[in-house]
Amino acid sequence: MGSQGTGDQVSITTRGLVSMVILLLHIRLTDGAAPVQLVDIQISDDIITCSSTGIYPEPKLTWSTDPPSDLSPDNGTSQKSTSTKVNSQGLYDIISTKPYTGNQTNICTVTYGTREKTTSLRQQDLPVTCIFSEECVLPCSYQPGKDEIIHWVKLDNIRVHSYYYSKDQLEQQDQQYKQRTALFNNQILEGNASLLLSNVTVQDQGRYKCYTSTIKGNQESFINIIVEAPVRLVDIQISNDIITCSSTGIYPEPKLTWSTDPPSDLSPDNGTSQTTTSTKVNSQGLYDITSTKPYTGNQTNICTVTCGTREKTATLQTKKNAKGKHKMVECMLLQRVM
Ligand SMILES: *[C@@H]1O[C@H](CO)[C@@H](O)[C@H](O)[C@H]1NC(C)=O
Ligand SMILES: *[C@@H]1O[C@H](CO)[C@@H](O)[C@H](O)[C@H]1NC(C)=O
Ligand SMILES: *[C@@H]1O[C@H](CO)[C@@H](O)[C@H](O)[C@H]1NC(C)=O
Ligand SMILES: *[C@@H]1O[C@H](CO)[C@@H](O)[C@H](O)[C@H]1NC(C)=O
Ligand SMILES: *[C@@H]1O[C@H](CO)[C@@H](O)[C@H](O)[C@H]1NC(C)=O
Ligand SMILES: *[C@@H]1O[C@H](CO)[C@@H](O)[C@H](O)[C@H]1NC(C)=O
């Protein structure tokens, strides 16, 4: 079956032309029926287009959504438009457009004779948060069927992982994913196309497409990977009447704020006057942050490092009865996840 590589070669942008060519190459006339090789679905400017070419006998095309929309105003022909034409070989090309409807999965079914092929598109990206250097599962599922093809692609066109002919196909895998990807092989036949990505890097961030295909049809869904390296440790130190607060290996870019207990309303170091904060990026793309400020007498000094929705606080307390200049009593660490 020469069509196994199809989804692989066809990017969403250039697909129309390429798929036509491929279809012409692979059309086989069996039992007087030309099989539907590919049902292509695309979105642009809030219009979804579903098309398939080189079919016989004359196909029908229907739209549905998941979850189904009962009150669908586009039940009739109101907002859809479908057209069929016959090519020079006497085969049918069918194309249909309809307005893009929000969050649903849009499903296009092409029926010819007694057979049907469906293709579905979940446009809404599923956001997945992956933790730097850890493992992460990119979920994807499909309706089980024979001749499974799975392609994980990072958009626009970086090959992450492929599977067909009942095995992983990693010859074309991009270098940056080498030895870091795996499918759940014992669950593929049940429709599990989820990808396990290990040792997550900052560069893994971005949009991924899961393309699956079986004899029953093909399907695309999108995942948006967000990488986080949470604040692990906030260090606070005092030397020569300067307090230094620092934290390393954070992603995305952290913020650092100072406060005191009791609060100092008239605090002169509200602005940038006396505190200096600097951020730098290390070789792995993670942020290191450091801030200094003059040591202020009896108060408890609190340094808070925030990254995304998580924050970590380091506190420096001083004892009033200290004989020396200032004794550090405690460095307290607490994490608050909001
Ligand atoms: C939409 O179509 C379905 C089945 O084709 C039908 O049961 C339903 O009544 C229709 N709804 C409207 C609003 O026309
Ligand atoms: C998408 O779904 C969310 C939550 O289910 C809802 O609040 C939002 O209005 C939906 N958006 C569209 C365009 O349907
Ligand atoms: C696929 O299998 C893995 C491992 O059991 C599981 O974590 C994941 O949730 C499954 N995904 C789907 C979509 O079923
Ligand atoms: C994870 O990636 C980093 C940087 O790319 C590398 O130095 C490290 O060896 C990798 N760890 C594992 C367990 O593969
Ligand atoms: C210091 O900043 C806080 C909040 O950022 C503000 O409410 C307060 O008025 C500021 N104080 C001075 C003296 O600027
Ligand atoms: C520290 O506390 C002592 C006793 O409460 C007070 O006399 C002194 O003024 C304080 N110093 C500062 C810098 O707040």
Side-chain angles (χ1 to χ4, degrees):
M1 284 256 298
S3 64
Q4 292 283 38
T6 300
D8 198 356
Q9 292 152 14
V10 179
S11 82
I12 198 157
T13 45
T14 58
R15 209 159 169 173
L17 240 182
V18 178
S19 62
M20 276 247 291
V21 173
I22 288 168
L23 281 165
L24 287 173
L25 289 175
H26 294 296
I27 282 165
R28 290 163 307 164
L29 289 165
T30 45
D31 313 329
V36 178
Q37 292 285 346
L38 187 68
V39 176
D40 185 46
I41 194 166
Q42 293 193 13
I43 294 197
S44 100
D45 299 331
D46 284 336
I47 300 285
I48 313 188
T49 305
C50 176
S51 61
S52 193
T53 54
I55 309 161
Y56 193 88
E58 185 170 2
K60 278 205 195 96
L61 187 153
T62 53
W63 287 100
S64 55
T65 59
D66 182 26
S69 47
D70 314 321
L71 322 162
S72 168
D74 54 352
N75 217 23
T77 52
S78 55
Q79 293 180 286
K80 295 179 207 174
S81 104
T82 304
S83 70
T84 310
K85 63 174 205 274
V86 183
N87 72 16
S88 60
Q89 296 174 299
L91 304 178
Y92 292 90
D93 295 347
I94 193 164
I95 185 162
S96 180
T97 58
K98 70 160 196 162
Y100 170 59
T101 48
N103 293 338
Q104 304 145 309
T105 296
N106 286 279
I107 303 163
C108 169
T109 304
V110 174
T111 317
Y112 60 107
T114 56
R115 307 177 205 202
E116 68 171 39
K117 278 239 169 179
T118 63
T119 196
S120 68
L121 175 67
R122 191 182 60 215
Q123 167 69 0
Q124 204 80 9
D125 288 9
L126 181 70
V128 172
T129 299
C130 297
I131 304 298
F132 180 83
S133 82
E134 293 184 3
E135 285 186 345
C136 194
V137 175
L138 283 58
C140 181
S141 56
Y142 65 98
Q143 210 198 342
K146 276 199 273 184
D147 294 348
E148 303 87 357
I149 302 173
I150 301 171
H151 292 298
W152 275 98
V153 174
K154 184 179 185 200
L155 302 180
D156 271 336
N157 200 17
I158 301 172
R159 288 154 199 257
V160 177
H161 197 106
S162 291
Y163 175 99
Y164 48 85
Y165 297 146
S166 303
K167 60 179 177 133
D168 290 324
Q169 304 283 351
L170 302 175
E171 302 76 29
Q172 313 254 35
Q173 184 183 44
D174 193 275
Q175 200 65 22
Q176 72 193 87
Y177 292 99
K178 206 147 223 145
Q179 317 264 310
R180 295 203 294 131
T181 60
L183 297 170
F184 296 95
N185 285 62
N186 55 350
Q187 289 177 54
I188 289 175
L189 301 185
E190 282 110 71
N192 185 336
S194 300
L195 185 77
L196 180 68
L197 180 63
S198 51
N199 201 8
V200 168
T201 70
V202 169
Q203 290 73 34
D204 291 340
Q205 202 153 230
R207 215 169 162 231
Y208 290 70
K209 178 169 77 177
C210 173
Y211 169 94
T212 56
S213 166
T214 68
I215 51 165
K216 290 184 183 165
N218 54 295
Q219 182 176 309
E220 285 179 11
S221 58
F222 295 89
I223 300 274
N224 198 9
I225 292 192
I226 298 146
V227 173
E228 277 186 15
V231 181
R232 292 185 197 281
L233 188 70
V234 176
D235 182 48
I236 196 163
Q237 288 187 12
I238 183 162
S239 139
N240 300 328
D241 283 338
I242 300 285
I243 316 183
T244 304
C245 174
S246 61
S247 189
T248 58
I250 306 162
Y251 193 88
E253 188 168 0
K255 282 207 190 88
L256 185 151
T257 53
W258 287 101
S259 55
T260 57
D261 183 27
S264 47
D265 313 322
L266 322 162
S267 166
D269 55 350
N270 218 22
T272 51
S273 54
Q274 292 181 286
T275 68
T276 316
T277 304
S278 69
T279 309
K280 63 175 207 276
V281 182
N282 74 15
S283 63
Q284 296 177 305
L286 305 179
Y287 291 91
D288 296 344
I289 195 164
T290 301
S291 183
T292 57
K293 69 162 199 163
Y295 175 63
T296 47
N298 296 336
Q299 306 148 305
T300 298
N301 286 281
I302 302 163
C303 168
T304 304
V305 178
T306 317
C307 169
T309 56
R310 294 161 204 252
E311 68 173 31
K312 235 178 203 183
T313 306
T315 306
L316 179 67
Q317 286 182 334
T318 47
K319 241 183 199 163
K320 272 191 214 139
N321 63 357
K323 279 194 181 150
K325 262 193 163 179
H326 25 54
K327 285 246 165 69
M328 199 189 317
V329 165
E330 203 181 329
C331 185
M332 209 170 62
L333 203 61
L334 51 104
Q335 183 178 22
R336 236 174 299 163
V337 179
M338 295 181 294

